[in-house]
């Protein structure tokens, strides 16, 4: 009898804590995203480019905001050079010879925009004619920890081999400072089927600053974070063709206050997820005690689906190769399931150790958890307990305040969070 009373007391305490936290959860602060973002970049008229960037930057270089720059082909920052970009600078990026900025290991990109004057990388096409994947993207190579057997790796596709190595033993490196930056229409597949993501961070050092970034209409992933250790915050991914956040190669750290806005008709045949997290790289091997381990807090992951098109959606999160993920204080809506696990998760205890989600909300149209091994399926839903959910699928416009605004979409729930059911 005492044991039963103790269990009931424990459950009531957990539920009370959940209800208290739920009140805080409804007050998620999105002020950080106002003033510098642009949810209709195809309608924006940017000035024409005036000065072409060289394809090799081998010495300290400063880009001024009174000049509009033109970037074409691969632009490498090498030889431990610093590339500093003044707030408010605009860089127009070639679509015919798709531009990419590659900051090599030892070099540094300092792109510190401001709320009033963000730094903008965008297509060189005229307004209303820009498309996903017009140009390549930004690639930053660091000397931070990578969980490959060798401790380093080479970026895929046809980048210059001598400038393609990342990873090392400088785990506390200040690899980059990048803040209040918009990256619009990157992710070209013309030159590279992989690797041309909006922002790619390889071997990121823990002293780096990565915050207040918006990637819009990427033809590949919006963000690719491979290895390293850092606490990254205030990221937006708008209507990416592939995954919004791809995290792999032993990255450890936090992603705090992130937004992913997807559309059911914008997706890749390879699979597109709001978050794709992989424990290690299949091709490079790994050290078993260093799998990817990420904590995601204050995430809003939304697919703008309704009852006429929700069948085109996938899971919000795809977890592969034994990755470890913790989601808290977050909203997931419009997807088929919350999470999908690959065959590396061979039992329910394995999944329970690798994935946890609490004090969060989800609105989906399928079971909630997809597994590769069907004998796990019956009990897999238990990993979502102590989260709130809709009893049946709710269309995006009925669930949120103003989710499709072209100025500043709002993803506050129309009803109080406490009116929804609790998974037990």
């Amino acid at each position: 009898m005492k044991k039963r009373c103790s269990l009931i007391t424990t459950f009531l305490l957990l539920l009370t804590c959940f209800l208290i936290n739920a009140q805080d959860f409804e007050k998620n602060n999105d002020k950080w995203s106002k003033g510098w973002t642009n949810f209709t970049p195809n309608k924006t008229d940017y000035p024409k480019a005036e000065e072409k960037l060289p394809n090799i930057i081998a010495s300290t270089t400063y880009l001024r905001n009174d000049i509009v720059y033109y970037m074409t082909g691969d632009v490498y920052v090498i030889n431990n050079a610093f590339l500093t970009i003044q707030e408010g600078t605009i860089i127009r990026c070639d679509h015919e010879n798709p531009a990419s900025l590659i900051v090599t290991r030892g070099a540094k990109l300092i792109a510190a925009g401001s709320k009033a004057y963000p730094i903008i990388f965008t297509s060189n096409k005229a307004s209303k004619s820009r498309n996903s994947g017009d140009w390549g993207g930004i690639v930053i190579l660091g000397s931070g920890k990578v969980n490959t057997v060798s401790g380093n790796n080479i970026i895929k596709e046809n980048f210059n081999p001598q400038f393609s190595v990342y990873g090392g033993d400088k785990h506390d490196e200040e690899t980059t400072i990048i803040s209040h930056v918009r990256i619009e229409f990157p992710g070209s597949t013309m030159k590279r089927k992989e690797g041309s993501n909006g922002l790619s961070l390889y071997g990121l050092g823990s002293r780096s600053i990565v915050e207040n970034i918006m990637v819009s209409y990427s033809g590949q992933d919006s963000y690719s974070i491979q290895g390293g250790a850092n606490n990254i915050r205030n990221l937006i991914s708008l209507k990416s063709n592939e995954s919004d956040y791809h995290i792999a190669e032993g990255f450890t750290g936090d992603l705090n206050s992130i937004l992913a806005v997807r559309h059911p008709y914008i997706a890749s045949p390879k699979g597109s997820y709001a978050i794709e997290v992989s424990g290690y790289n299949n091709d490079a091997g790994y050290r078993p005690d260093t799998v990817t381990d990420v904590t995601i807090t204050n995430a809003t992951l939304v697919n703008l689906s309704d009852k006429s098109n929700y069948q085109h959606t996938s899971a919000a999160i795809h977890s592969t190769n034994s990755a470890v993920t913790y989601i808290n204080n977050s909203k997931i809506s419009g997807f088929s399931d919350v999470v999908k696990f690959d065959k590396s998760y061979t039992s329910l205890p394995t999944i329970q150790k690798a994935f946890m989600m609490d004090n969060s909300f989800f609105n989906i149209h399928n079971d909630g958890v997809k597994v590769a091994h069907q004998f796990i399926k019956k009990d897999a839903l238990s990993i979502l307990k102590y989260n709130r959910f809709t009893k049946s699928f709710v269309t995006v416009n009925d669930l949120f305040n103003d989710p499709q605004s072209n100025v500043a979409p709002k993803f506050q729930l129309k009803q109080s969070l406490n009116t929804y059911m609790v998974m037990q």
Side-chain angles (χ1 to χ4, degrees):
M1 184 66 179
K2 285 184 178 180
K3 185 176 181 181
R4 183 180 177 187
C5 289
S6 178
L7 288 172
I8 292 171
T9 302
T10 300
F11 172 75
L12 289 174
L13 285 171
L14 285 170
L15 186 58
T16 301
C17 289
F18 178 86
L19 292 173
I20 292 171
N21 288 333
Q23 294 173 0
D24 294 334
F25 167 77
E26 288 189 279
K27 296 178 182 178
N28 279 353
N29 190 341
D30 63 354
K31 290 182 180 179
W32 61 267
S33 65
K34 295 176 181 177
W36 61 276
T37 54
N38 183 356
F39 288 87
T40 55
N42 209 357
K43 295 181 180 179
T44 303
D45 289 318
Y46 292 114
K48 291 183 179 180
E50 302 165 289
E51 184 176 312
K52 179 179 175 292
L53 292 177
N55 291 103
I56 297 292
I57 297 174
S59 59
T60 295
T61 301
Y62 185 80
L63 305 187
R64 300 170 6 210
N65 61 16
D66 60 344
I67 297 173
V68 178
Y69 295 91
Y70 177 60
M71 188 165 69
T72 181
D74 292 336
V75 174
Y76 291 93
V77 184
I78 67 169
N79 197 33
N80 299 326
F82 280 35
L83 173 62
T84 302
I85 304 177
Q86 187 180 16
E87 63 177 6
T89 302
I90 298 172
I91 298 97
R92 303 295 299 268
C93 302
D94 190 8
H95 67 281
E96 293 181 347
N97 180 17
S100 288
L101 176 64
I102 304 101
V103 183
T104 63
R105 192 169 61 172
K108 184 184 293 188
L109 171 65
I110 302 175
S114 65
K115 184 169 283 193
Y117 301 101
I119 294 166
I120 301 165
F121 289 82
T122 193
S123 169
N124 69 323
K125 289 182 180 178
S127 61
K128 301 179 183 178
S129 64
R130 301 166 192 142
N131 297 292
S132 296
D134 273 351
W135 59 286
I138 300 173
V139 179
I140 299 174
L141 307 178
S143 304
K145 184 178 181 179
V146 176
N147 72 344
T148 61
V149 172
S150 64
N152 51 50
N153 207 351
I154 298 174
I155 49 177
K156 294 180 179 179
E157 298 288 344
N158 58 334
F159 292 98
N160 189 321
Q162 66 176 317
F163 301 137
S164 299
V165 178
Y166 63 92
D169 57 6
K170 297 179 181 177
H171 302 164
D172 63 347
E173 176 186 69
E174 187 182 79
T175 310
T176 187
I177 298 173
I178 179 168
S179 176
H180 290 101
V181 174
R182 297 206 309 259
I183 303 169
E184 301 169 351
F185 308 100
S188 172
T189 57
M190 185 186 300
K191 288 169 66 175
R192 301 179 175 100
K193 300 301 180 185
E194 293 183 65
S196 289
N197 308 299
L199 177 61
S200 298
L201 303 169
Y202 293 89
L204 186 67
S206 62
R207 292 176 58 230
S208 305
I209 297 173
V210 180
E211 60 185 20
N212 298 302
I213 314 294
M214 182 176 191
V215 178
S216 304
Y217 297 97
S218 177
Q220 298 190 43
D221 297 335
S222 287
Y223 300 88
S224 181
I225 305 170
Q226 310 287 319
N230 201 266
N231 295 325
I232 300 171
R233 65 179 188 141
N234 300 353
L235 306 181
I236 299 173
S237 171
L238 177 64
K239 296 183 180 178
S240 170
N241 189 57
E242 294 190 11
S243 295
D244 297 281
Y245 302 92
H246 182 199
I247 309 161
E249 291 197 3
F251 174 82
T252 57
D254 299 347
L255 269 61
N256 196 328
S257 296
I258 66 170
L259 171 64
V261 181
R262 302 197 60 81
H263 193 282
Y265 296 138
I266 302 176
S268 166
K270 296 190 298 183
S272 302
Y273 306 90
I275 296 172
E276 187 173 5
V277 55
S278 180
Y280 55 87
N281 185 322
N282 285 322
D283 299 329
Y286 76 109
R287 290 162 283 172
D289 59 336
T290 59
V291 295
T292 303
D293 188 341
V294 60
T295 295
I296 298 170
T297 305
N298 298 327
T300 300
L301 313 177
V302 176
N303 199 310
L304 300 174
S305 61
D306 56 37
K307 293 179 181 178
S308 70
N309 56 30
Y310 68 73
Q311 67 272 18
H312 299 293
T313 64
S314 63
I317 303 163
H318 189 205
S319 190
T320 67
N321 294 341
S322 305
V324 176
T325 309
Y326 172 43
I327 311 280
N328 71 97
N329 212 51
S330 296
K331 288 178 281 197
I332 295 173
S333 178
F335 297 88
S336 64
D337 298 273
V338 171
V339 59
K340 174 183 176 182
F341 295 99
D342 78 346
K343 63 183 180 181
S344 67
Y345 301 90
T346 56
S347 67
L348 183 61
T350 302
I351 290 176
Q352 290 171 330
K353 289 179 181 179
F355 185 90
M356 182 179 176
M357 177 170 147
D358 61 21
N359 193 36
S360 295
F361 166 85
F362 59 91
N363 166 50
I364 55 170
H365 62 82
N366 209 338
D367 295 333
V369 179
K370 295 186 73 172
V371 294
H373 302 285
Q374 292 306 303
F375 67 89
I376 308 173
K377 185 176 181 180
K378 180 181 176 182
D379 300 313
L381 201 61
S382 65
I383 65 171
L384 300 180
K385 62 185 177 181
Y386 309 133
N387 296 286
R388 291 191 176 272
F389 66 101
T390 54
K391 188 174 182 180
S392 57
F393 179 76
V394 180
T395 295
V396 64
N397 290 326
D398 294 331
L399 187 66
F400 297 112
N401 278 343
D402 193 8
Q404 306 206 57
S405 167
N406 289 330
V407 178
K410 293 180 174 60
F411 297 101
Q412 285 74 36
L413 297 170
K414 285 185 174 180
Q415 297 183 37
S416 167
L417 183 68
N418 291 333
T419 64
Y420 293 101
M421 302 179 72
V422 181
M423 183 72 72
Q424 299 177 8

